[in-house]
Amino acid sequence: MIRSSNPELDLTISRVIRAPRSLVWSAWTDPASLEQWWIPAPARCKVVDMELRPGGSFVTRMSENGGDFEPHLNACFLDIADGERIVFTNALVGGWRPAEQPFMTAIITLKDHPDGTDYTAYVMHKNNADRNMHAEMGFYDGWGTVVEQLANLVEQRVG
């Protein structure tokens, strides 16, 4: 799917999650599960819309410090390959409508690994300035935290 990585435009985070791919997939595709890990704690997440199909909307809200839920992500799913890949972008919103301020496209891949699941989040940006801004906003800390939260959730389910 990705022809070649471009370090000037792309950010990537990977880790092995010690749980079967089916559990990781379920945590990604079940709104109640996604709410438990999608935003770095102690902030809370609410899934407003999650239509798991190409053109479907992916809308989340977040609450920090117990406050009101505010906009977090308004995106569109581009591709769903059951158990293997989720692709979404905030360049579009549900129904393929153009977004006001496009910023990134993310490709989440899940592959079998001897110790569980090889999880990769590959995030592409339209220009180097957006890529650098995302890195400076804390891409590695933020996305790293949520991947850790995801791993903790599904690894507990393995028991």
Side-chain angles (χ1 to χ4, degrees):
M1 173 153 244
I2 302 167
R3 288 196 175 143
S4 63
S5 176
N6 182 339
E8 294 295 314
L9 301 175
D10 309 331
L11 297 167
T12 304
I13 193 159
S14 297
R15 82 166 274 169
V16 173
I17 297 175
R18 295 182 184 282
R21 189 162 38 122
S22 62
L23 284 180
V24 178
W25 180 260
S26 178
W28 237 109
T29 58
D30 171 58
S33 293
L34 188 84
E35 288 179 345
Q36 295 178 52
W37 65 268
W38 180 236
I39 293 175
R44 295 179 307 136
C45 175
K46 183 188 322 183
V47 175
V48 175
D49 204 3
M50 188 175 190
E51 298 175 85
L52 289 164
R53 60 174 178 77
S57 67
F58 182 25
V59 181
T60 60
R61 300 284 184 257
M62 67 183 272
S63 169
E64 295 187 90
N65 303 317
D68 292 338
F69 280 90
E70 307 221 354
H72 172 251
L73 178 68
N74 191 358
C76 178
F77 289 108
L78 301 176
D79 185 39
I80 304 292
D82 193 34
E84 297 177 9
R85 183 178 55 252
I86 297 171
V87 183
F88 65 92
T89 185
N90 71 350
L92 300 169
V93 297
W96 307 109
R97 302 294 309 169
E100 291 281 326
Q101 296 180 320
F103 181 64
M104 58 97 186
T105 297
I107 302 171
I108 309 301
T109 58
L110 309 177
K111 295 180 181 172
D112 289 330
H113 184 278
D115 294 325
T117 303
D118 186 5
Y119 179 95
T120 300
Y122 182 79
V123 182
M124 301 177 289
H125 304 84
K126 67 183 177 293
N127 57 46
N128 183 255
D130 281 359
R131 180 242 182 248
N132 291 344
M133 180 175 67
H134 203 178
E136 290 166 13
M137 286 170 40
F139 172 83
Y140 292 104
D141 286 341
W143 284 63
T145 297
V146 300
V147 172
E148 180 72 22
Q149 291 173 173
L150 168 60
N152 289 339
L153 178 70
V154 296
E155 288 170 359
Q156 288 174 9
R157 291 179 179 173
V158 171

